[in-house]
Amino acid sequence: MKKTTYIFVFIISVMNIYSQKSSLAKGDKEYGQYAYVDAIKTYERVFERGFKSPEMLEKLANSYYFKADLPNAAKWYGELYAANPNLTSENFYRYAQSLKAIKDYEKADQMMAKFTQMNANDRRGKLAGDQKDYLALIKKNSGRYIIENLGINTEYSDFGSSFFGDKIVFTSGKTNGRIHERICPWTGEAYTNLYMANKSADGTLSAVETVSSTINSKYNESTAVFTKDGETVYFTRNNFLEKKGKDRDGSILLKIYRAKFKKGVWSDVTELPFNSDSYNVAHPALSPDEKYLYFASDMPGTLGQSDIFKVAINFDGSFGSPENLGDVINTEGRETFPFVSDDNELYFSSDGHPGLGGLDVFVCKIEKDKWYKKVLNVGETLNSSKDDFGFLINSGTKLGYFTSNRDGGAGKDDIYKFKEVKKIQYPCDQSLAGKVTDKATGVSLAGSKVSLSDSEYKMLKVVIADKDGKFDFGVIGCNAKYHIRTEKEEYITTEVPVAIPDESGSTFVPLLLEKAIKEMKVGDDLAKVLELKTILFDLDKSYIRPDAALELAKVFDVMQQNPNMKVDIRSHTDSRNSADYNRKLSDRRAKSTMNWLIKNGIDKSRLTAKGYGESQLLNKCSDGVKCSEAEHQVNRRSEFIIVKQ
């Protein structure tokens, strides 16, 4: 009897093991076909029977993650982590993102640290390391939106809105009441279609109806964008039409199509030439001038799971080559749902940049059609711990729409309207560069030593000018004062102050150096060579003032260094007063100047002096001509002409 019992128990155990293996095989097949809804049901049934393995737990957690149910993903990644703490780096990342969805930011940061340790070169890890205070940074731009759930949302997924005249076009997975409704195995909902609704002045929507049947097919359509004239639409559609267009794994992919509005109907539906049956191309957006189409894709050249690209739309309607927006925008994660505002700001959603959980909406300024600088999280309350995407705004009214699967919605994804009440505050980003040249000739001075000090003269950086005389200090502080010191052999060392404004941009400083020993020849005026300030005399006087003596000391120094040099001193006045008076006054001043140089050590034989009064005016200001004081000042001058070198 005991033997019979043992045999019976053994048979039951074998049957259970076989049943579990059979169920796992079924779940793995569903998982491999992206039928995550069915895979979840199968894996959870197996788990309830007491069977679990790291492989099954990983697929169960991933299934929830891929269908954007992050709270449940966090639960199953937690089970996986408990069963096997040695997760793959990507699962550490997904676990961190899922923990954010339940606002367990402390543990999420711990998992993110493990991810970063395993992926030192991954941009997601670098961004997390650079922005350890990301929650504080997000808080700075939070509270800028007044948000309201729209009344058009259903119990299904409603997402991806766009402007179409006085209407809004959006995507929905709601059923149409058909008995044999086609169900998408990924989402468990009906295949999505495009709908449109009337838009009132306050942004509320009403009178929902389907978009043209020539655009909507029996499979998925979503995320449309219309040209401003309403005659062209770009939209996303999967490539399963007539059971064609699967990739090598049998997966259904996404493509962007274009249609034209002719004679009241949408026609000429064609796919764009850079689509492929090997990768996804989706979620189109147009630049304000409609010269570029932005989109999300995992095409070759993608940095992560999906990137934002742009492509030029040529005048004849053809397209250029798609261009990846680069690693300022794109990470190894997901960047998707681009939108470009009339203010030339690129909005997109990402789970690669530090955020609150799931997809967050980010913004970045577009400069010169291609330069993208800093990426900012747009903050709460628009972003949440769940997925937030599909941002759309009218830059004039500040009214817009976005999609979220946050708690409290009507369905899986809901469209929300918002009012932006405060502009985002971009951090000030300034750079400082310049060029060193010879002041007299304009020749670039390669090899010049250029030093940067702060307002307290604390040395910050030293660079050497390149072959073109250019130097670059890189990024510096805004709203600050600096000092730039420039040194070059055979040139006079100079130091100039620089004030940096409190706004993003770049500051360029041209630096002009004078030779320490200047080239001089017969006929040159030392006043010009040495850039002397005007030799001033008191009214009707000819004695040398202290300020004039400072300038004359420069002439004295040059004559001492050049012992064979002879100089003719010439003094001039303006036209006011009589010509005879001016001649005599200027002559006394010339002689006084000469005597000062003789008194200080210059031999009398090397100097001559003469006054010319008003006889050599440099402008129109002769007797009877009305001139300003500045114009008269031009004529009051002293010259020191080299007559022998």
Side-chain angles (χ1 to χ4, degrees):
M1 184 71 182
K2 286 184 178 179
K3 185 176 181 180
T4 304
T5 301
Y6 290 150
I7 293 171
F8 178 75
V9 171
F10 175 76
I11 292 172
I12 293 298
S13 299
V14 169
M15 290 176 64
N16 284 338
I17 292 171
Y18 177 79
S19 174
Q20 290 163 356
K21 286 185 176 179
S22 177
S23 295
L24 276 176
K26 179 175 181 291
D28 291 346
K29 181 179 179 181
E30 293 161 342
Y31 181 88
Q33 294 175 340
Y34 305 100
Y36 297 123
V37 174
D38 294 332
I40 286 169
K41 292 177 182 177
T42 300
Y43 289 139
E44 287 185 339
R45 281 198 301 269
V46 172
F47 183 84
E48 288 171 1
R49 293 172 189 162
F51 179 82
K52 60 181 178 180
S53 71
E55 293 78 15
M56 186 204 77
L57 291 172
E58 179 184 21
K59 290 178 180 178
L60 178 53
N62 285 344
S63 295
Y64 274 115
Y65 185 86
F66 293 146
K67 70 183 293 290
D69 187 346
L70 297 188
N72 274 312
K75 170 187 172 182
W76 291 110
Y77 282 125
E79 291 282 352
L80 173 61
Y81 184 61
N84 177 23
N86 298 316
L87 302 183
T88 66
S89 62
E90 198 59 33
N91 280 335
F92 271 125
Y93 184 79
R94 293 170 185 166
Y95 190 17
Q97 290 295 100
S98 302
L99 287 165
K100 287 183 179 181
I102 57 176
K103 298 186 178 182
D104 190 347
Y105 293 108
E106 183 177 353
K107 192 170 184 179
D109 291 345
Q110 294 172 5
M111 296 300 108
M112 196 64 200
K114 293 180 180 293
F115 167 81
T116 303
Q117 289 174 0
M118 298 174 70
N119 288 272
N121 295 322
D122 192 296
R123 182 159 168 75
R124 293 171 294 177
K126 289 180 178 179
L127 288 168
D130 292 341
Q131 299 181 32
K132 288 185 172 64
D133 57 346
Y134 68 96
L135 291 175
L137 293 173
I138 292 171
K139 188 175 182 180
K140 285 183 179 179
N141 276 312
S142 294
R144 300 185 303 107
Y145 301 97
I146 299 172
I147 293 171
E148 180 182 340
N149 196 312
L150 288 172
I152 62 163
N153 290 306
T154 68
E155 61 184 295
Y156 304 100
S157 292
D158 304 289
F159 65 95
S161 51
S162 63
F163 295 120
F164 179 40
D166 59 354
K167 297 180 182 294
I168 290 291
V169 172
F170 64 96
T171 309
S172 180
K174 67 180 181 178
T175 62
N176 290 310
R178 291 188 290 265
I179 296 175
H180 300 292
E181 189 78 55
R182 291 177 178 271
I183 301 299
C184 176
W186 185 314
T187 64
E189 297 184 1
Y191 284 89
T192 58
N193 282 310
L194 291 171
Y195 294 81
M196 61 182 176
N198 295 330
K199 175 172 63 71
S200 64
D202 66 355
T204 56
L205 304 182
S206 61
V208 176
E209 58 182 316
T210 58
V211 175
S212 167
S213 60
T214 56
I215 293 178
N216 284 328
S217 70
K218 59 184 178 180
Y219 293 104
N220 286 314
E221 280 78 31
S222 67
T223 52
V225 62
F226 297 82
T227 54
K228 293 174 182 176
D229 61 12
E231 295 182 358
T232 303
V233 61
Y234 300 88
F235 64 96
T236 305
R237 173 187 280 175
N238 69 30
N239 62 351
F240 193 71
L241 294 179
E242 299 177 0
K243 299 185 178 180
K244 297 177 182 178
K246 291 186 177 182
D247 70 4
R248 72 185 71 178
D249 299 322
S251 304
I252 300 171
L253 300 174
L254 301 176
K255 293 182 176 181
I256 296 177
Y257 290 76
R258 177 170 61 185
K260 298 288 186 177
F261 196 68
K262 297 179 179 179
K263 297 181 180 180
V265 295
W266 289 105
S267 59
D268 299 337
V269 178
T270 56
E271 65 172 273
L272 301 191
F274 47 86
N275 288 329
S276 173
D277 291 328
S278 298
Y279 51 78
N280 293 285
V281 178
H283 312 316
L286 286 166
S287 61
D289 60 10
E290 300 182 354
K291 292 181 179 179
Y292 290 94
L293 185 74
Y294 291 77
F295 59 91
S297 180
D298 57 355
M299 65 172 56
T302 300
L303 303 180
Q305 298 166 42
S306 66
D307 283 4
I308 307 295
F309 290 76
K310 74 172 182 177
V311 63
I313 304 173
N314 299 322
F315 183 76
D316 62 358
S318 62
F319 296 88
S321 299
E323 175 187 346
N324 190 300
L325 295 193
D327 63 4
V328 173
I329 300 293
N330 295 313
T331 70
E332 288 81 353
R334 293 180 295 164
E335 279 71 46
T336 186
F337 290 98
F339 168 75
V340 185
S341 72
D342 288 338
D343 292 332
N344 230 28
E345 292 175 314
L346 171 66
Y347 291 86
F348 63 98
S349 288
S350 171
D351 65 3
H353 293 273
L356 296 171
L359 291 170
D360 271 19
V361 177
F362 294 83
V363 63
C364 184
K365 279 187 177 179
I366 302 175
E367 297 181 4
K368 298 179 181 178
D369 290 331
K370 61 179 180 179
W371 296 113
Y372 309 89
K373 290 196 174 178
K374 285 191 179 291
V375 169
L376 295 180
N377 189 301
V378 302
E380 293 181 297
T381 52
L382 193 140
N383 283 327
S384 69
S385 60
K386 303 296 177 65
D387 281 334
D388 306 288
F389 57 97
F391 184 96
L392 176 74
I393 190 172
N394 181 313
S395 298
T397 64
K398 303 301 180 184
L399 290 171
Y401 305 88
F402 75 102
T403 304
S404 180
N405 64 351
R406 65 188 59 193
D407 297 337
K412 294 183 178 179
D413 291 317
D414 279 9
I415 300 173
Y416 293 78
K417 78 165 186 172
F418 66 82
K419 173 79 173 182
E420 184 184 62
V421 294
K422 181 182 177 183
K423 284 290 291 180
I424 196 162
Q425 295 297 308
Y426 288 97
C428 187
D429 184 10
Q430 268 279 352
S431 61
L432 177 60
K435 183 175 181 179
V436 186
T437 57
D438 185 298
K439 184 174 182 179
T441 65
V443 173
S444 300
L445 296 181
S448 298
K449 179 182 176 182
V450 190
S451 308
L452 181 69
S453 301
D454 64 15
S455 59
E456 302 299 321
Y457 292 93
K458 178 184 177 182
M459 184 67 68
L460 302 175
K461 204 169 189 179
V462 178
V463 297
I464 303 298
D466 66 15
K467 61 182 179 61
D468 298 316
K470 295 180 180 178
F471 63 91
D472 190 347
F473 288 121
V475 177
I476 58 169
C478 298
N479 193 27
K481 292 182 179 179
Y482 295 92
H483 298 277
I484 299 178
R485 181 181 178 87
T486 314
E487 303 170 67
K488 174 73 173 172
E489 189 177 352
E490 297 183 356
Y491 285 84
I492 300 172
T493 297
T494 63
E495 188 170 274
V496 297
V498 179
I500 304 300
D502 189 17
E503 59 184 24
S504 293
S506 59
T507 300
F508 185 87
V509 181
L511 299 174
L512 307 177
L513 295 189
E514 295 183 62
K515 278 198 170 183
I517 301 177
K518 299 192 176 185
E519 296 179 4
M520 294 171 286
K521 62 184 183 297
V522 173
D524 284 347
D525 180 2
L526 287 179
K528 293 181 179 178
V529 173
L530 301 176
E531 296 184 354
L532 300 182
K533 295 179 182 178
T534 303
I535 306 296
L536 296 175
F537 296 88
D538 287 337
L539 183 64
D540 294 333
K541 304 295 182 183
S542 59
Y543 64 84
I544 302 300
R545 293 176 11 169
D547 55 342
L550 290 174
E551 301 304 308
L552 290 177
K554 298 175 185 178
V555 177
F556 171 81
D557 185 59
V558 169
M559 293 190 73
Q560 270 200 324
Q561 294 179 49
N562 297 271
N564 294 322
M565 178 184 287
K566 291 186 177 182
V567 173
D568 181 33
I569 302 168
R570 303 173 184 179
S571 180
H572 304 270
T573 67
D574 60 36
S575 63
R576 293 177 290 186
N577 229 317
S578 69
D580 182 61
Y581 177 87
N582 286 333
R583 181 184 56 77
K584 292 178 181 178
L585 175 63
S586 65
D587 196 63
R588 291 197 303 273
R589 288 176 174 176
K591 297 293 192 300
S592 179
T593 301
M594 181 179 69
N595 290 334
W596 187 93
L597 290 169
I598 293 170
K599 181 181 178 181
N600 282 279
I602 302 299
D603 192 275
K604 182 178 179 180
S605 64
R606 299 173 60 194
L607 297 167
T608 56
K610 183 178 180 180
Y612 291 84
E614 60 183 87
S615 65
Q616 296 183 10
L617 299 175
L618 296 178
N619 55 25
K620 64 179 182 179
C621 299
S622 58
D623 291 337
V625 177
K626 187 176 181 180
C627 289
S628 66
E629 182 60 35
E631 289 173 314
H632 282 301
Q633 179 63 58
V634 171
N635 295 315
R636 297 195 300 272
R637 66 197 187 277
S638 293
E639 297 173 328
F640 300 84
I641 307 300
I642 300 172
V643 294
K644 182 181 178 182
Q645 179 64 302

